[in-house]
Amino acid sequence: MDKNAIGPATWRSALLFIVTGAGLYFYFESEKRKVKERKAAELASVKTGRPKVGGPFTLTDQDGKEFTEKDLLGKWSLIYFGFTNCPDICPDELDKMGAVVNLIEKQHGADVVVPVFVSVDPARDSVSQVKKYLSGESPSGMKCLTGPYDAVKKMCKVFRVYFSTPPEVKPGEDYLVDHSIYFYLMDPKGEFVDAFGKATTAKEVKEKFDKAVEAWKNEQ
């Protein structure tokens, strides 16, 4: 028998192998392209329609040090606007923020997200007052910011936060500050990701944070 002879069946097998291999190659290349396109679409959906929230500001932290938007770069941040004399809503929202920070740290490690409290009552919330407020049951690593009225108003404006004190308040008179009740999630570039109101649970905030982190990683 001639061992060099190649029958029709052998040629058909070789041709089938080549065609199958080529088909598998183009199939996997197509699937890789679809995955990339899907990730790009998901990333675009995160970015598309983002309101312009955030911008330059200069305030003072609880240690008397200048704190600007640049101090938030490089880490995720959760920012809440309130006042230290708030009887219930602010403490409840800060408790929720603390729960979110704990959930994030359990999965992503410590020092990943910076919780920030911004006073919208600069007339009463001095540096010493916000430091005292921080000594309570505040979220881990929280920064408490205050400053002159105009500086606070400027930050509230770039973050689209509303606040108002009663007119003609006398010195030493007790009062409440009407203000927006939600906190922001900002990414490590200082860009707005999402805002969470009273109805949003700590678990839901954590889930949205996880999605934002995944989208961020795909972008890098």
Side-chain angles (χ1 to χ4, degrees):
M1 180 179 179
D2 185 2
K3 295 181 179 181
N4 293 322
I6 301 178
T10 305
W11 278 112
R12 284 197 298 270
S13 298
L15 181 61
L16 179 62
F17 177 81
I18 293 172
V19 172
T20 301
L24 287 173
Y25 172 81
F26 286 111
Y27 170 79
F28 285 118
E29 285 297 308
S30 174
E31 289 301 302
K32 284 169 63 177
R33 185 176 65 256
K34 289 179 182 178
V35 170
K36 288 183 178 179
E37 291 173 350
R38 185 169 64 251
K39 287 184 177 180
E42 291 172 351
L43 182 59
S45 67
V46 173
K47 287 186 169 183
T48 301
R50 282 188 182 184
K52 177 59 178 175
V53 174
F57 67 86
T58 301
L59 292 177
T60 305
D61 70 11
Q62 70 273 10
D63 297 316
K65 297 179 180 179
E66 183 179 273
F67 194 98
T68 74
E69 75 284 354
K70 295 179 181 178
D71 291 298
L72 295 176
L73 301 180
K75 295 182 181 180
W76 297 85
S77 57
L78 291 169
I79 305 176
Y80 180 77
F81 294 78
F83 62 110
T84 65
N85 285 283
C86 182
D88 44 30
I89 296 177
C90 295
D92 288 346
E93 290 301 288
L94 290 179
D95 284 345
K96 181 169 70 178
M97 184 186 286
V100 173
V101 171
N102 289 337
L103 290 172
I104 290 173
E105 289 184 344
K106 285 181 180 179
Q107 179 174 341
H108 300 278
D111 208 30
V112 172
V113 61
V114 179
V116 180
F117 173 82
V118 183
S119 172
V120 293
D121 186 18
R124 293 183 293 183
D125 287 344
S126 61
V127 171
S128 60
Q129 175 62 20
V130 295
K131 188 176 182 67
K132 180 181 178 182
Y133 189 69
L134 184 63
S135 64
E137 296 182 5
S138 301
S140 173
M142 171 169 275
K143 289 289 185 179
C144 287
L145 307 182
T146 188
Y149 177 84
D150 288 343
V152 170
K153 185 177 180 179
K154 180 180 179 181
M155 182 176 183
C156 287
K157 184 176 181 179
V158 298
F159 276 85
R160 299 190 177 186
V161 170
Y162 163 81
F163 78 99
S164 176
T165 56
E168 300 179 1
V169 175
K170 298 178 181 179
E173 185 178 359
D174 191 24
Y175 59 88
L176 297 178
V177 180
D178 187 20
H179 63 92
S180 305
I181 307 171
Y182 46 84
F183 57 87
Y184 297 101
L185 172 63
M186 310 295 287
D187 70 20
K189 289 184 179 179
E191 296 180 354
F192 172 80
V193 176
D194 210 338
F196 310 103
K198 288 179 61 180
T200 312
T201 67
K203 182 179 178 182
E204 289 170 338
V205 175
K206 165 61 167 47
E207 289 173 351
K208 291 188 177 182
F209 176 82
D210 290 341
K211 291 180 180 179
V213 169
E214 186 63 28
W216 171 268
K217 289 180 179 178
N218 291 335
E219 181 183 17
Q220 305 312 303

